[in-house]
DNA sequence: CTGTTAGCGCATTCAC
DNA sequence: GTGAATGCGCTAACAG
């Protein structure tokens, strides 16, 4: 278009109103996405003027009066908290689809949280999605000065709603699958026990194993990473192998798989059956046919967007929204 | 219901000023990170009042007058445009380290760009980092109403600076490696030819192959994805195999690797030598020991942040900043 | 339906 | 050093 518009000239609603020959208020109404009382012809004039001037509302100024910024904070420790790009991509798309935008906050180490929020826009967002396990719900509310906080890290309370996968279900299915195939002994490779989610996850495995009469030979501590999977595999290499190895992350399972790759040749588990967790899309690659536990990401994301779209959802006492998980069988489970 | 400090109390600078017994202007100065004329005792009173009230500046309101939001837009087509999570994680951390925050914008399919512009969803950010190849520099400037646009997609112009890897260098090294190992024939697996970057990349391969006397047997069209790598491998399965296969993305190389995995057993390529592109961190997993071409992500990100931090860098006519690439040898190259 | 007025929260004049 | 006034761009509330 013309060069003025192309190089960020600042055209305000006052300019539009002047060109259209109406008042600012009329221009504002005509430009509003919501239906507001404006005569048809003036609306046309305003729209035409806005287009020719290349006008775009200043959302900052707008939010100053409307008290809503259409901005959602997504708080993570590291990017890798978003265990899968697919989830994140979908989340972003869906949030934008309801007319909001995402401000991504990487907290990193816990002690820097305060520093970030001190200068951040984060304080005035419409809602915050907390993936990071750095803090409990109360702390987050205090820091964000808002009740519109959704906890995805299982550290919710009465005031802040949560969305959480019902992991016990998928875990139960996975262990049942193993039992059905004659598994009697198992090793469980875990992540850091500091996370509440991880503690619950481990408890679910213990319960399911006991229920199916499978002996938990030992627990190996990892940190969710591929490398720690490698290390875990080395740790039980010399000993008597179990019938099955369960991991609380796919990445660790991949590390173990690579150590025992030859044993899994021809898509037949020989040393032991291997079960991961997360159902990363990476597992659809030929190289890692690892059975896993996952949930429907579309549903998960849908719940988040639904929640931030309606203030009603932030009234106290709402029970956590639970997303079902399921066992996904692959060659590593035999 | 809960009007306590923890739940959305709207403390403005006027409140702070009143409690401290000073004017708003004094409070503003005392709260400013920059040194401004305020007497020591009043500064103390203001700071104390701000702290006790839990005051946080409203960056949105602030930016209305200062014209700077400390917000940087990262524009991608899909999340997968950020070829590697490591890059993104580092980018986020470094941007936050200079006191700015990231608003992530996913444009999606090209045909929705217009709709995007129409709705004016974008804030008036300080700068925009454009990874998506959906638009030229002028369009992005108009969209964000800023001249501070950094193009990472090679679609820059005189007004918007660019940062781009010097891919010819790494490609030259990779082809030289192949030539040194006696490669005489090659197949090149490419992505969509619509992207300017891809066109340049292919041209670089052609040039390097010619220079080293390697015959380009054929060009196979993919779309950067793992699945398209699979398809590409199938396409030349029946025919005479080349000495080497070059791919313009690691994902495609992984797809090909999986089809010919047995040929790569014991870390010895037998069918052909395989070269990827991007140097994904995934290649450090045992399963995909694929030689690749990459650049130092720290340097790349550093250049972006440096550029954002100094308006000087946005004066017209700046030449693109070039980041060196290098060949990374792995087992697939023999 | 329309236009005028009055802020939203803040930084910045410019007088004192 | 200080504080009263002014304006950033926009919309809500109010009168016509």
């Amino acid at each position: 278009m013309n060069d003025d518009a192309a190089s960020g000239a600042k055209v305000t609603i006052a300019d539009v109103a002047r060109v259209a020959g109406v008042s600012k208020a009329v221009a504002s109404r005509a430009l509003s996405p919501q239906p507001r009382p404006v005569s048809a012809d003036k609306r046309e004039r305003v729209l035409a003027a806005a287009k020719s001037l290349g006008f775009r509302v200043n959302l900052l100024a707008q939010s100053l009066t409307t008290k809503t910024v259409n901005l959602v904070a997504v708080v993570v420790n590291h990017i890798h908290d978003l265990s899968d790009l697919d989830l994140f991509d979908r989340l972003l798309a869906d949030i934008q689809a309801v007319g909001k935008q995402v401000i991504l906050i990487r907290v990193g180490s816990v002690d820097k949280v305060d520093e970030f929020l001190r200068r951040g826009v984060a304080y005035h967002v419409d809602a915050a999605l907390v993936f990071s396990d750095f803090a409990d719900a109360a702390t987050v509310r205090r820091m964000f000065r808002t009740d519109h906080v959704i906890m995805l890290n299982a550290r919710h309370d009465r005031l802040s709603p949560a969305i959480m996968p019902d992991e016990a279900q998928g875990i139960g299915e996975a262990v049942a699958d193993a039992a059905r195939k004659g598994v009697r002994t198992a090793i469980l490779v875990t992540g850091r026990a500091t996370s509440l989610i991880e503690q619950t996850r481990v408890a679910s495995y213990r319960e399911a194993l006991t229920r199916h009469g499978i002996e938990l030979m030992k627990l190996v501590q990892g940190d969710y990473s591929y490398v720690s999977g490698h290390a875990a595999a080395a740790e039980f290499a010399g000993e008597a192998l179990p019938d099955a190895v369960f991991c609380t992350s796919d990445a660790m399972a991949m590390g173990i798989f690579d150590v025992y790759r030859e044993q899994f040749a021809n898509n037949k588990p020989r040393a032991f059956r291997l079960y991961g967790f997360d159902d990363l899309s990476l597992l659809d690659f030929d190289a890692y046919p690892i059975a896993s536990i996952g949930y429907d990401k579309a549903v998960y994301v849908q719940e988040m967007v639904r929640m931030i779209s309606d203030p009603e959802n932030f009234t106290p006492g709402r029970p956590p929204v639970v997303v079902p998980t399921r066992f996904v069988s692959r060659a590593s489970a035999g």
Side-chain angles (χ1 to χ4, degrees), chain A residues 105-167:
Chain A
I105 299 176
R106 177 191 184 276
V107 169
S109 63
V110 175
D111 50 303
K112 294 180 75 178
V113 173
D114 274 329
E115 181 190 330
F116 277 136
L117 295 178
R118 183 170 317 154
R119 292 170 46 112
V121 194
Y123 270 110
H124 305 272
V125 296
D126 291 337
L129 299 175
V130 181
F131 289 87
S132 160
D133 60 349
F134 76 93
D136 59 323
T139 303
V140 175
R141 281 197 303 274
R142 184 156 33 84
M143 295 199 304
F144 279 83
R145 294 281 186 282
T146 174
D147 282 341
H148 291 205
V149 173
I150 302 177
M151 307 299 283
L152 291 322
N153 61 0
R155 303 195 62 179
H156 53 283
D157 59 11
R158 238 191 108 262
L159 291 179
S160 293
I163 304 173
M164 46 196 308
D166 174 20
E167 302 191 339

Side-chain angles (χ1 to χ4, degrees), chain A residues 82-114:
Chain A
L82 302 161
S83 65
D84 202 336
L85 280 184
D86 290 344
L87 172 67
F88 192 28
D89 196 55
R90 180 165 282 145
L91 176 61
L92 205 58
D94 285 10
I95 288 180
Q96 289 184 172
V98 296
K100 297 182 188 298
Q101 292 193 345
V102 168
I103 179 167
L104 193 55
I105 299 176
R106 177 191 184 276
V107 169
S109 63
V110 175
D111 50 303
K112 294 180 75 178
V113 173
D114 274 329

